[in-house]
């Protein structure tokens, strides 16, 4: 019974994280693109004059798409046409099952693993499920019975097949590095093994908490720099994001595979793209940037200094809160009566909110956090790990956006050339060199 | 013959030629002029066509000079140019220059000549130009603006010399001189609108065309007036799907430069709201519209060989249509069941100028195609006997009361026509044909002259060219060589009717051609 | 086989190794974009974007906005329906039907005067061509919106009373 409740709550947590991230990412994409291009971006949708710097726009978009007419082409294959967006979305969501977002959380004396499903072949699961996403895209392209969507689907298939190989090859090096290394002492009891398995994601991340030569975090990027480059490129291609978004290349095939979709079905494709981005970011963070690990601060260090760290954290939050409150107050002065409606209250509201945050943090100090007990310390360590994971997630998701608004799209032959003629040989070489080095060392 | 040199160019013209015409020939374009008109007497009042003749001390007006052997004439030297510029300036002193509201703008002699020979700034400083009566209605068709008049007297000469009615005259002297009708007289003759045509400025304008359209927006199509068997050559001025006016077209063998007012108003029938624009079928006593597909099927059903009792042609058909209808008639019925129309119908008093008493355009063509007309009584008798289909094409034979009654007695009248008239009222099926302005064809006038007319505006609604309808019916009746184009039709008509005569029906000369008098053309 | 005397290709430089592996150039590109981003976050006031309905661009006095028809002192149109404007109009957007004016001094006036604002290209040739200074594009109105195509075809009465509030 407990196990079901645990799993359900973990699924719920991940689902909330992903859906929340999708909204934030859409906002980040629009606002980031705008700032990169010297524009202001979305800033008009408002609830009672509160615009949250454009964060209300995704909400407005959802309502708009919900109430829009669902226009379907007459020549579609009804079943596949309706199934495709759900397939894409389902596949996008199911990958998260094996991604650890912390090592464990102590609940009522029991250590609960912070991963939904700790598969011993988690890495294979990810590769397998990610490739299923292609089916949704191809299905959408074919079922809509439109030459542009069809071309989009065909492109997606070719692209995903080409880059899946590279992705797998790149990860193999990582698996080699972490397979059969000693488990960190503090986790030996929890994981129940003396040696790590390179295919299990929890083990991969646990391994990355160690230090290399006593000072360098043993992150994937440190031990596999070339593997990282190959992997990140393949992930970008797998998620159909710029510079590899040829399946929806606007200038050639209008909108590609989702051209004939409207209303909420289009929204599903749209959200799936961002969900894919979040997986991509999670995978990059998990494989190459230590997942939930904070560098030089594995769980024992965190637990030992929990009280001091919490105190410092509260002080930092208070300081940031005051700073933002001050900035908002300055805007209050500068933009007095700019719009002549409710929107004028926005800076004052922001200043108030940040002030409350800062005061709450100060209030927390009154509880004397430096006297934190061992249970509290364990909880604090878990929360810090989850926080670190989320921070890495946001950063790599932002990297997707950043790259999109920097690079132009590849040409199709360039895309294929890069995949087969550059990355594949490099991946093989990387694997061979890694194996040789590991054998010698 | 007289040999003379004009602007350094030697040419030979017949004795008695006016120097004006010789200059036109030498220069390729006429001298500036207002009062000279080739079909009227010479007045020599506008003084614009002055030329320098070597040996003569002063400039002479070319219109009133007869060529002489050995004349050396300059039409474009400094002296002549200066003279025409100054004369033009004189003409414009009291002209109101209200071109924006003047219907003549765009085809105005003053405008054209100012742009070609004038282009000066006026030297006359006047507080007030002489004002005269504007917008004076002087007849049922013509409106007069005395201010714009340059007193060329063309209209006066036209009324005196061509129609002989003499309604107009020039009254008063000096800058108070003005054109007007004689007291108590209206400019009310059947040719009054010709004065508007020959007026070089906007003094006389048409009441019918007044303010309807600026002339430069109109397109022109060559046509033949369908009003009577004279067959005046006309120009259809149209824009889009609307005809705005008819103008005479020069043909020395038929109408010269004139045309009657009755003919000019014929375009209104094309835009009549009683036009037949959709195929219509009688069901329950009422005519209901239907699509062409269905209408064609019904028509083919009505015209099964042996079911047709009478085919009635019309002198309003073009020559091609008359021939094609006859072919169809012979395919469906016997020779004695083909009737060309009502003999003596549509005859009204004409005049000795252009208007013929026969008010149909193509009676000669109908006969040329082999049709025989019947007197009313005989036609009525034939109609009374008819039990099967009666095919009526063109015209309105039911305008005659007894014919109408006889047609109304027939159960299966198939009418191809342009209007919802009395004949259409008796029809079981009425198919919309094209009016004369909407199709191309050939009319044969009372002298036997074949003259081609071209289509101008688009046909209204679902109306179709008659020859296409006939050709389709002919194909349905089993004819294998039903013509697929007007060109093919004309070729076959030419081969049928004129096997021996050397001319081409596809491209008739602009003046038309008279096969009975092969030496056609020539200044007559 | 000799390539002597043949053209040496397009003259485009072969990509250097640094360019060919993309990596450094991608980093450089990311640097450019992040520079814009960071600068713009802290200098929102410098954005050239205009908050349109609240802020409006100020146009020159010579700006050609929506047309208006000038009135005589008695409020009737100055236009005499000469159709110079519809003749010169490159977009063919003016349709005028003249009619007889009761005053024979004026003689002609526009019975209908229509402008299709969707077709109009606001070139101003109509006001150049007008002999009576009857049509002008000097209202300065550039916010022309309606919810059906028919409403963009404006009539004489509207053009005669074309107010700057932009109401239809």
């Amino acid at each position: 019974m407990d196990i079901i409740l645990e799993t359900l709550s973990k699924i719920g947590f991940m689902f909330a994280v992903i859906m929340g991230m999708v909204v934030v990412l859409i906002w980040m994409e629009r606002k980031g693109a705008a700032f990169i291009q010297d524009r202001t971006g979305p800033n008009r949708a408002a609830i009672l004059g509160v615009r949250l710097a454009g964060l209300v726009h995704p909400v407005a978009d959802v309502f708009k798409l919900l109430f829009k007419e669902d226009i379907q082409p007459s020549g579609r294959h009804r079943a596949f046409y309706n199934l495709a967006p759900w397939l894409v979305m389902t596949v996008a969501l199911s990958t998260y099952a094996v991604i650890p977002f912390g090592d464990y959380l102590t609940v009522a004396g029991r250590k609960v693993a912070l991963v939904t499903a700790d598969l011993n072949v988690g890495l294979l699961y990810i590769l397998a499920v990610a490739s299923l996403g292609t089916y949704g895209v191809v299905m959408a392209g074919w079922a809509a019975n439109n030459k542009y969507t069809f071309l989009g689907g065909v492109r997606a298939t070719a692209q995903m097949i080409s880059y899946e190989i590279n992705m797998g090859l790149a990860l193999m090096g990582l698996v080699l590095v972490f397979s059969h290394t000693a488990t960190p002492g503090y986790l030996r009891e929890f994981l129940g093994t003396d040696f790590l398995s390179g295919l299990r994601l929890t083990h991969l991340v646990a391994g990355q908490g160690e230090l290399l030569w006593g000072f360098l975090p043993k992150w994937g990027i440190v031990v596999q720099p070339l593997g990282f480059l190959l992997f990140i490129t393949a992930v970008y291609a797998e998620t159909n994001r710029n510079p590899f978004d040829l399946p929806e290349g606007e200038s050639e095939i209008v909108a590609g595979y989702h051209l004939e979709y409207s209303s909420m079905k289009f929204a599903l494709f749209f959200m799936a793209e961002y969900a894919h981005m979040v997986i991509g970011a999670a995978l990059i963070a998990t494989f190459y940037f230590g997942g939930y690990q904070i560098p030089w601060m594995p769980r024992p260090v965190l637990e030992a200094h929990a009280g001091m760290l919490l105190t410092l954290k509260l002080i930092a939050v208070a300081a940031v809160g005051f700073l933002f409150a001050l900035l908002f107050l300055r805007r209050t002065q500068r933009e007095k009566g700019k719009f002549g409606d409710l929107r004028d209250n926005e800076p004052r509201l922001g200043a108030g909110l940040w002030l409350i945050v800062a005061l709450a943090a100060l209030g927390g100090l009154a509880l004397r956090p430096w006297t934190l007990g061992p249970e509290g310390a364990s909880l604090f360590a878990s929360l810090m790990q989850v926080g670190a994971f989320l921070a890495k997630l946001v950063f790599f998701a932002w990297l997707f956006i950043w790259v999109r608004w920097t690079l132009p799209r590849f040409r199709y032959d360039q895309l294929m050339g890069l995949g087969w003629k550059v990355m594949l040989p490099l991946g093989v070489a990387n694997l061979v060199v890694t194996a040789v080095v590991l054998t010698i060392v | 013959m007289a040999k003379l040199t004009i602007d350094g160019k030697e040419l030979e013209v017949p004795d008695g030629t006016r120097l004006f015409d010789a200059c036109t020939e030498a220069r390729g374009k006429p001298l500036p002029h207002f009062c000279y008109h080739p079909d009227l007497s010479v007045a020599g009042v506008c003084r614009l066509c002055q030329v320098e003749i070597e040996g003569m001390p002063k400039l002479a007006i070319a219109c009133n000079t007869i060529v002489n052997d050995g004349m050396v004439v300059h039409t474009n030297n400094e002296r002549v140019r200066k003279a025409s510029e100054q004369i033009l300036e004189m003409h414009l002193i009291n002209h109101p220059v209200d071109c924006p509201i003047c219907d003549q703008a765009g085809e105005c002699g003053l405008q054209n000549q100012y742009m070609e020979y004038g282009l000066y700034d006026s030297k006359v400083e006047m507080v007030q130009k002489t004002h005269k009566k504007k917008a004076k209605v002087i007849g049922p068709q013509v409106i007069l603006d005395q201010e714009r008049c340059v007193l060329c007297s063309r209209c006066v000469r036209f009324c005196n010399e061509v129609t002989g009615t003499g309604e107009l005259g020039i009254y008063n002297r000096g800058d108070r001189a003005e054109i007007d009708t004689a007291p108590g007289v209206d400019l009310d003759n059947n040719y009054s609108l010709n004065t508007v045509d020959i007026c070089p400025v906007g003094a006389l304008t048409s009441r019918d065309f007044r303010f309807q359209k600026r002339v430069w927006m109109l397109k022109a199509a060559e046509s033949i007036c369908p009003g009577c068997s004279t067959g005046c050559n006309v120009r259809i001025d149209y824009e889009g799907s609307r005809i705005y006016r008819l103008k005479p077209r020069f043909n020395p063998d038929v109408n010269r430069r004139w045309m009657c007012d009755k003919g000019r108003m014929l375009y209104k029938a094309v835009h009549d709201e009683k036009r037949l624009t959709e195929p219509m079928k009688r069901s329950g006593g009422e005519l209901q519209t239907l699509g062409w597909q269905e209408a064609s099927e019904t028509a083919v059903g009505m015209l099964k060989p042996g079911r047709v009792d009478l085919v009635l042609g019309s002198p309003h058909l073009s020559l091609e249509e008359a021939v094609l209808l006859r072919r169809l008639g012979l395919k469906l019925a016997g020779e004695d069941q083909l009737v060309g129309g009502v003999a003596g119908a549509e005859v009204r008093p004409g005049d000795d100028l252009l208007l013929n008493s026969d008010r149909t355009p193509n009676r000669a063509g109908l006969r040329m195609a082999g049709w025989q007309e019947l007197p009313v009584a005989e036609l009525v008798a034939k109609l009374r006997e008819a039990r099967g289909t009666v095919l009526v094409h063109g015209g309105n034979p039911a305008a005659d009361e007894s014919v109408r009654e006889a047609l109304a007695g027939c159960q299966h009248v198939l009418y191809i026509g342009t209007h919802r008239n009395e004949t259409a009222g008796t029809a079981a099926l009425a198919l919309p044909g094209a009016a004369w302005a909407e199709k191309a064809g050939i009319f044969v006038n009372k002298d036997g002259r074949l003259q081609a007319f071209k289509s101008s505006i688009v046909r209204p609604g679902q109306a179709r060219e008659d020859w296409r309808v006939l050709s389709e019916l002919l194909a349905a009746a089993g004819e294998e060589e039903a013509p697929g184009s007007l060109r093919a039709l004309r070729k076959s008509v030419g081969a049928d009717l004129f096997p021996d005569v050397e001319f081409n029906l596809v491209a008739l000369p602009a003046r038309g051609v008279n096969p009975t008098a092969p030496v056609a053309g020539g200044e007559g | 086989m000799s390539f002597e005397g043949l053209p040496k290709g397009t003259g485009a430089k072969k990509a250097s190794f640094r360019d060919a592996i993309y990596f450094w150039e991608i980093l450089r590109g990311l640097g450019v974009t992040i520079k814009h981003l960071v600068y713009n976050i802290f200098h929102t006031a410098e954005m050239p974007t205009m908050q349109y309905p609240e802020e409006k661009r100020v146009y020159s006095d010579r700006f050609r906005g929506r047309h208006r028809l000038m009135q005589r002192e008695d409020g009737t149109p100055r236009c005499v329906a000469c159709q110079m404007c519809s003749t010169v109009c490159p977009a063919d957007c003016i349709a005028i039907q003249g009619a007889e004016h009761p005053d024979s001094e004026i003689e002609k006036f526009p019975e209908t005067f229509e402008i299709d604002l969707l077709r109009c290209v606001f070139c101003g040739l109509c006001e150049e061509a007008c002999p009576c200074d009857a049509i002008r594009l000097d209202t300065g109105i550039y916010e022309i919106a309606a919810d059906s195509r028919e409403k963009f075809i404006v009539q004489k009465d509207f053009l005669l009373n074309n107010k700057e509030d932009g109401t239809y």
Side-chain angles (χ1 to χ4, degrees):
Chain A
M1 197 61 219
D2 275 357
I3 197 86
I4 294 172
L5 205 66
E6 266 172 30
T7 313
L8 280 181
S9 53
K10 280 186 279 195
I11 291 174
F13 173 74
M14 274 317 255
F15 189 75
V17 166
I18 294 161
M19 293 326 265
M21 278 295 286
V22 166
V23 172
V24 172
L25 280 185
I26 292 172
W27 168 77
M28 249 159 72
E29 178 108 277
R30 297 182 66 181
K31 208 72 182 169
F35 277 131
I36 283 170
Q37 297 168 349
D38 296 346
R39 301 182 280 114
T40 45
N43 65 348
R44 299 210 77 86
I47 300 170
L48 293 176
V50 179
R51 298 172 296 168
L52 293 175
L55 251 177
V56 184
H57 272 262
V59 180
D61 283 345
V62 166
F63 278 102
K64 178 193 79 173
L65 286 167
L66 269 176
F67 290 110
K68 263 198 161 177
E69 187 189 352
D70 185 13
I71 299 163
Q72 305 190 351
S74 56
R76 73 203 182 279
H77 185 295
R78 188 186 295 267
F80 288 167
Y81 177 86
N82 288 322
L83 183 62
W86 293 105
L87 189 70
V88 170
M89 195 66 197
T90 311
V91 168
L93 289 176
S94 39
T95 319
Y96 296 93
V98 293
I99 293 175
F101 47 91
D103 47 12
Y104 58 79
L105 180 70
T106 315
V107 181
R110 231 163 53 79
K111 289 178 176 172
V112 178
L114 288 180
V115 57
T116 315
D118 188 13
L119 296 184
N120 55 0
V121 287
L123 196 135
L124 294 183
Y125 172 83
I126 283 175
L127 290 177
V129 171
S131 61
L132 276 179
T134 322
Y135 286 93
V137 171
V138 173
M139 209 184 264
W142 179 77
N145 196 15
N146 171 316
K147 60 185 169 193
Y148 295 119
T149 62
F150 182 68
L151 280 174
V154 169
R155 283 182 176 199
T157 324
Q159 179 175 329
M160 290 192 182
I161 288 172
S162 309
Y163 279 80
E164 228 148 54
I165 294 171
N166 296 320
M167 192 157 137
L169 267 179
L171 285 178
M172 281 312 108
L174 200 69
V175 173
L176 285 186
V177 172
F178 285 103
S179 278
H180 218 68
T181 49
T183 312
Y186 63 97
L187 280 174
R188 210 161 280 175
E189 185 199 345
F190 174 68
L191 293 177
T193 173
D194 288 344
F195 294 100
L196 295 174
S197 153
L199 291 176
R200 209 181 255 251
L201 263 61
T202 44
H203 289 199
L204 267 180
V205 179
Q208 290 183 63
E210 297 289 274
L211 293 180
L212 197 61
W213 306 312
F215 69 95
L216 206 56
K218 200 180 169 187
W219 281 5
I221 188 172
V222 177
V223 292
Q224 284 280 305
L226 182 60
F228 163 69
L229 284 181
L230 295 175
F231 180 76
I232 198 171
T233 314
V235 164
Y236 275 55
E238 285 285 287
T239 48
N240 294 333
R241 286 285 298 189
N242 216 341
F244 303 108
D245 60 344
L246 286 105
E248 42 189 291
E250 292 83 359
S251 48
E252 301 129 23
I253 49 173
V254 195
Y257 58 88
H258 61 63
L259 170 62
E260 292 286 8
Y261 284 88
S262 53
S263 178
M264 221 37 216
K265 292 207 184 75
F266 165 76
L268 279 176
F269 276 114
F270 196 68
M271 275 154 53
E273 182 186 334
Y274 286 92
H276 270 125
M277 271 168 68
V278 182
I279 320 174
L283 292 182
I284 294 169
T286 305
F287 289 137
Y288 291 97
F289 287 88
Y292 53 78
Q293 302 282 7
I294 306 171
W296 301 289
M297 280 194 223
R299 176 169 277 270
V301 180
L302 281 175
E303 284 183 358
H305 307 286
M308 185 189 71
L309 286 172
L310 185 56
T311 314
L312 285 178
K313 202 162 188 173
L314 285 177
I315 292 172
V317 168
V320 169
F322 280 123
L323 181 71
F324 274 98
L326 216 69
L327 283 175
F328 270 103
L329 276 177
R330 230 180 65 190
R331 248 183 76 191
T332 319
Q333 293 298 313
R334 204 173 57 212
E335 296 178 5
K336 191 173 271 180
K338 183 178 170 186
F339 296 104
D341 57 26
L342 278 172
R343 278 172 287 175
D344 289 335
N345 297 330
E346 211 181 20
R348 224 171 308 156
L349 209 67
L353 277 177
W354 280 112
L355 211 62
I356 290 171
V357 169
L359 290 177
L362 285 184
L365 282 179
L367 296 173
R368 299 200 298 171
W370 48 89
T371 60
L372 204 62
E375 272 174 35
S378 172
L379 182 67
F380 175 74
S382 300
L383 289 180
M384 281 297 277
Q385 285 177 341
V386 174
F389 177 71
L390 289 182
K392 287 175 192 178
L393 203 63
V394 171
F395 175 76
F396 287 107
W398 159 248
L399 192 66
F400 272 93
I401 293 163
W402 188 5
V403 166
R404 175 174 176 188
W405 298 104
T406 303
L407 299 182
R409 183 181 296 143
F410 272 85
R411 216 169 49 213
Y412 206 78
D413 61 318
Q414 291 173 331
L415 174 89
M416 284 295 148
L418 182 72
W420 291 103
K421 296 198 295 205
V422 180
M423 284 173 61
L424 188 65
L426 279 179
V428 173
N430 183 50
L431 188 61
V432 170
V433 170
T434 310
V436 167
V437 169
L438 283 174
T439 314
I440 294 166
V441 175
Chain B
M1 298 296 270
K3 266 189 171 175
L4 68 164
T5 311
I6 297 171
D7 289 344
K9 198 170 170 183
E10 284 189 19
L11 72 160
E12 210 169 336
V13 293
D15 284 326
T17 307
R18 284 173 188 153
L19 182 56
F20 189 96
D21 297 332
C23 287
T24 307
E25 198 184 325
R27 286 155 48 92
K29 62 177 182 183
L31 293 164
H33 68 288
F34 286 136
C35 69
Y36 178 73
H37 190 280
D39 288 340
L40 298 174
S41 64
V42 171
V45 292
C46 77
R47 316 305 292 180
L48 262 174
C49 62
Q50 295 186 81
V51 292
E52 184 178 344
I53 303 170
E54 282 185 13
M56 291 178 82
K58 288 202 227 170
L59 299 180
I61 50 170
C63 64
N64 206 16
T65 308
I66 303 295
V67 293
N68 242 336
D69 207 25
M71 256 185 183
V72 180
V73 183
H74 301 283
T75 69
N76 198 23
N77 63 16
E78 181 72 11
R79 204 173 155 208
V80 172
R81 275 205 304 276
K82 190 142 186 139
S84 35
E85 189 185 307
Q86 287 171 344
I87 299 287
L88 197 60
E89 192 172 355
M90 297 277 278
H91 278 300
L92 274 162
I93 286 176
N94 278 316
H95 188 84
V97 204
D98 53 354
C99 306
I101 57 167
C102 176
D103 275 337
Q104 189 80 7
E107 51 185 14
C108 170
L110 267 177
Q111 280 183 342
N112 294 346
Q113 275 155 43
Y114 177 80
M115 295 313 286
E116 189 152 8
Y117 305 104
L119 291 177
Y120 52 83
D121 290 325
S122 178
K123 291 193 281 289
V124 184
E125 285 177 25
M126 255 187 190
V127 182
Q128 187 89 41
K129 291 189 174 190
T130 308
H131 281 299
K132 295 172 195 165
K133 189 100 175 83
K134 290 184 85 71
K136 182 178 182 187
V137 176
I138 57 168
Q141 301 288 358
V142 182
I143 197 160
L144 168 68
D145 188 311
Q146 294 173 330
E147 279 183 356
R148 295 178 190 154
C149 180
V150 291
L151 297 166
C152 70
S153 79
R154 273 181 178 184
C155 51
V156 179
R157 280 177 282 150
F158 177 83
C159 289
N160 290 343
E161 297 165 12
V162 180
T163 62
T165 45
E167 292 101 335
L168 293 169
I170 299 178
Y171 299 89
N172 298 328
R173 290 291 175 270
D175 69 352
R176 285 182 296 278
E178 59 193 27
I179 294 278
D180 210 341
T181 49
V185 177
D186 275 352
L187 179 57
D188 186 9
N189 61 56
N190 193 27
Y191 295 87
S192 62
L193 279 171
N194 289 304
T195 61
V196 174
D197 290 347
I198 58 175
C199 181
V201 295
L204 294 169
T205 49
S206 162
R207 288 177 74 183
D208 180 55
F209 180 65
R210 186 168 167 82
F211 299 160
Q212 293 303 304
K213 204 76 188 166
R214 303 320 302 261
V215 296
W216 56 82
M217 295 175 176
L218 297 171
K219 296 183 189 71
E222 292 171 8
S223 189
I224 303 295
C225 175
C228 74
S229 59
T230 304
C232 292
N233 290 215
V234 301
R235 193 183 80 205
I236 300 177
D237 279 355
Y238 67 100
E239 202 225 0
S241 58
R242 212 190 130 185
I243 299 175
Y244 284 90
R245 62 179 184 184
L246 299 182
K247 286 263 178 189
R249 193 154 55 85
F250 176 63
N251 187 336
D253 302 322
V254 182
N255 58 322
R256 297 209 60 82
R257 293 174 173 84
W258 317 126
M259 175 183 184
C260 73
D261 291 1
K262 280 199 168 63
R264 287 181 201 252
M265 296 303 135
L266 284 175
Y267 75 88
K268 291 183 174 171
V270 175
H271 299 307
D272 195 320
E273 57 182 32
K274 283 178 74 179
R275 270 300 291 276
L276 186 61
T277 55
E278 316 282 331
M280 295 183 106
K281 189 181 179 181
R282 185 168 305 282
S283 64
E286 288 291 311
L287 280 175
Q288 308 279 347
T289 59
L290 72 165
W292 260 110
Q293 180 78 25
E294 206 185 325
S296 294
E297 283 162 13
T298 315
V300 169
M302 288 173 80
L303 295 180
K304 284 263 166 16
R307 283 194 61 184
V308 179
D309 277 0
L310 192 73
V311 177
L312 188 57
S314 157
H316 289 278
L317 301 178
S318 72
L319 180 62
E320 298 96 321
E321 287 157 10
V323 170
L324 202 56
L325 181 66
R326 192 163 175 83
R327 277 189 211 158
L328 178 66
L330 288 174
K331 197 99 190 164
L332 300 170
E335 171 94 49
D336 59 337
Q337 287 164 314
L338 307 188
V339 178
V342 185
E346 300 189 68
V347 172
R348 281 185 276 280
D351 60 30
D352 53 359
L353 203 50
L354 289 173
L355 185 64
N356 194 276
S357 55
D358 177 7
R359 298 290 163 78
T360 60
N362 199 27
R363 202 175 293 271
L366 193 72
R367 288 175 186 157
M368 200 178 266
W371 292 86
Q372 301 295 323
E373 288 151 284
L374 284 181
V376 177
E378 287 182 38
L379 177 64
V380 168
K382 267 189 184 294
L383 284 171
R384 292 255 159 80
E385 284 169 20
R387 292 286 168 270
T389 304
V390 176
L391 170 60
V392 184
H393 186 190
N396 185 18
D400 185 294
E401 187 60 24
S402 52
V403 175
R404 196 189 67 77
E405 276 169 20
L407 271 173
C410 296
Q411 288 301 303
H412 310 289
V413 177
L414 169 55
Y415 176 57
I416 308 173
T418 53
H419 286 71
R420 280 178 280 128
N421 49 24
E422 293 91 339
T423 313
T426 65
L429 178 70
L431 302 177
W436 114 99
E438 296 153 7
K439 64 186 177 190
I442 293 169
F443 284 150
V444 184
N445 80 349
K446 63 179 194 296
D447 304 326
R449 174 175 294 272
L450 277 73
Q451 302 190 102
F453 55 94
K454 295 174 181 168
S455 70
S456 56
I457 54 172
V458 290
R459 290 175 288 282
Q462 295 201 58
R464 295 177 66 191
E465 285 165 299
D466 303 42
W467 71 264
R468 280 188 197 277
V469 180
L470 291 175
S471 181
E472 213 174 275
L473 294 175
L474 201 57
E479 169 75 45
E480 278 167 18
E481 286 177 11
S485 70
L486 190 64
R487 198 183 166 82
L489 174 58
R490 281 186 176 170
K491 276 190 175 158
S492 73
V493 170
D496 273 12
L497 299 183
F498 313 106
D500 313 322
V501 185
E502 276 279 322
F503 66 82
N504 184 1
L505 276 193
V506 176
L508 285 177
R511 287 178 177 182
V513 71
N514 193 339
T516 55
V519 197
E523 219 37 53
Chain C
M1 191 167 168
S2 163
F3 294 100
E4 288 286 317
L6 288 173
K8 296 248 164 65
T10 58
K13 259 197 304 187
K14 197 178 179 303
S16 66
F17 179 71
R18 214 185 86 146
D19 292 347
I21 61 167
Y22 298 123
F23 186 67
W24 296 111
E25 291 303 313
I26 288 176
L27 287 189
R28 229 158 60 92
L30 290 174
V32 170
T33 45
I34 201 72
K35 225 161 63 191
H36 276 264
L37 180 102
V38 172
Y39 184 89
N40 285 327
I41 284 178
F42 292 104
H43 298 81
T44 42
E46 288 177 27
M47 288 270 191
T49 313
M50 271 194 162
Q51 298 301 319
Y52 162 63
E54 290 90 14
E55 299 172 2
K56 284 181 185 172
R57 201 173 289 283
V58 178
Y59 286 99
S60 137
D61 291 340
R62 296 171 53 187
F63 176 80
R64 292 189 293 268
R66 205 167 61 198
H67 325 62
R68 65 171 169 145
L69 281 179
M70 305 297 288
Q71 300 179 351
R72 292 173 199 271
E73 276 168 19
D74 59 357
T76 57
R78 268 196 211 169
C79 173
V80 294
C82 70
Q83 307 192 15
M84 291 296 147
C85 47
S86 58
T87 300
V88 78
C89 180
D92 201 8
C93 72
I94 307 178
I96 304 168
Q97 183 57 55
E100 192 84 42
H101 196 279
D103 183 353
S104 73
E105 283 296 307
I106 298 169
E107 209 170 332
K108 193 178 178 186
F109 82 107
E111 195 173 31
T112 63
F113 192 113
E114 293 178 356
I115 296 181
D116 187 341
L117 293 172
L118 284 180
R119 276 195 180 193
C120 179
V121 294
F122 297 93
C123 63
L125 288 181
C126 48
E127 59 181 349
E128 295 278 336
C130 185
C132 309
D133 190 20
I135 187 168
R136 287 188 189 169
L137 278 77
D138 64 354
T139 55
I141 299 172
Y142 53 86
E143 292 159 309
I144 300 166
D147 49 19
S148 76
R149 281 163 194 278
E150 289 71 31
K151 286 186 185 165
F152 283 102
I153 301 172
V154 292
Q155 306 292 333
K156 183 175 75 172
D157 290 338
F158 171 80
L159 290 163
L160 275 172
N161 304 300
N162 204 355
K163 298 293 187 301
E164 292 207 14
D165 61 2
T167 48
Y168 273 85

